[in-house]
Amino acid sequence: MIEARRLHILRAVADHRTVTAAAAALYLTPSAVSQQLTALEQETGHRLVERGARGVRLTPAGEILLGHTNAVLAQLERAEAELAAYSSGSAGTVTVASFATGIGLVVAPALARLARTAPGIRLRVQDAEGDASLPMVLDRQIDVAVAVEYRGAPDADDPRLAHVPLYAEPFDAVVPRDHRLADRTQVPLAELAKDPWIGPYPGNPCHDVVVMACEHAGFQPSLEHSSDDFRAVVALAAADAGVALVPRSALHGMDLAGVVVRPVDGVAPTRRVFAAVRRGAEAHPLIRPVLDALSESSTSA
């Protein structure tokens, strides 16, 4: 008989690609993870993982079992959801991780909605970028991630996650007030090819949006200054340190006295925001109202 907790360990190893990283995500020791993998191999009668200089990879048998693992763990999430519904599940804590702008735009309004419509549900909010929050959902460190689509992110049909689209917003060009393009009504990205750029660090989903937009315009941006805080990005642009692309909602309430903000000429780079939970958990009586509140907040964002 295969133990479900060992399947969870197998998926963590597949996701993180090293025993050490999987152990850290699961709050276990590497030796405990290795022991559970060995036990799982004994249960199945197959070698499931291969260790190498670059980490751990699944064998063909491991890949077969991983496909079933995703289905089994999703079904267990559904079972928990139905049992919670049976016992009413009207009160409890749901942990939500979101990037900072998403907290202000949809998470905080959702928290206020839930206080009125489902007062028994308490939200615990964490600030985390999408590339960090999605693994946190899979590792059961949080219940809901509000994340941005990015290169390498799990697809909407990923068997491990259920996606709920929330909103999409364009990036606007931010240039110093005396910039040569400051009097344009729209800014062509190609004309910023030789400018110094200010933007998020690699790994931040918005970094991918900026780089891909510039690549589509025919150039690689020269990112001379980096910050994941868009207030810092705008402040640097105001100091004539370079140009930037910033999500429109992130500009709300900022001091824009030293910069000019203009729409991008043509197809604007866009970030698409969604909520994600472990597949099967979307019907949980504590999580479903949170997803509904996030969706309702996004329509008025």
Side-chain angles (χ1 to χ4, degrees), residues 176-222:
R177 183 160 292 280
D178 60 355
H179 191 272
R180 65 185 183 283
L181 301 181
D183 59 348
R184 298 281 190 92
T185 56
Q186 295 182 319
V187 172
L189 283 186
E191 295 191 30
L192 298 175
K194 295 184 179 180
D195 286 81
W197 279 74
I198 312 157
Y201 284 101
N204 185 315
C206 289
H207 173 89
D208 286 346
V209 175
V210 172
V211 171
M212 291 174 69
C214 293
E215 289 175 351
H216 185 72
F219 69 97
Q220 283 282 342
S222 175

Side-chain angles (χ1 to χ4, degrees), residues 3-57:
E3 291 193 18
R5 64 192 178 96
R6 288 174 182 154
L7 294 179
H8 184 63
I9 289 172
L10 177 70
R11 187 162 80 176
V13 169
D15 287 342
H16 293 281
R17 301 188 182 279
T18 70
V19 168
T20 300
L26 298 173
Y27 299 103
L28 297 172
T29 64
S31 62
V33 169
S34 294
Q35 289 169 8
Q36 292 299 318
L37 287 175
T38 299
L40 184 58
E41 289 179 329
Q42 292 172 347
E43 288 173 345
T44 61
H46 291 278
R47 187 179 181 187
L48 302 174
V49 298
E50 291 181 345
R51 292 170 174 80
R54 296 184 178 180
V56 175
R57 69 179 184 86

Side-chain angles (χ1 to χ4, degrees), residues 98-110 125 127 146 167 249 252 297 301:
S98 171
F99 56 99
T101 307
I103 291 175
L105 205 60
V106 294
V107 177
V125 181
D127 187 336
V146 174
Y167 65 92
S249 66
H252 295 170
S297 297

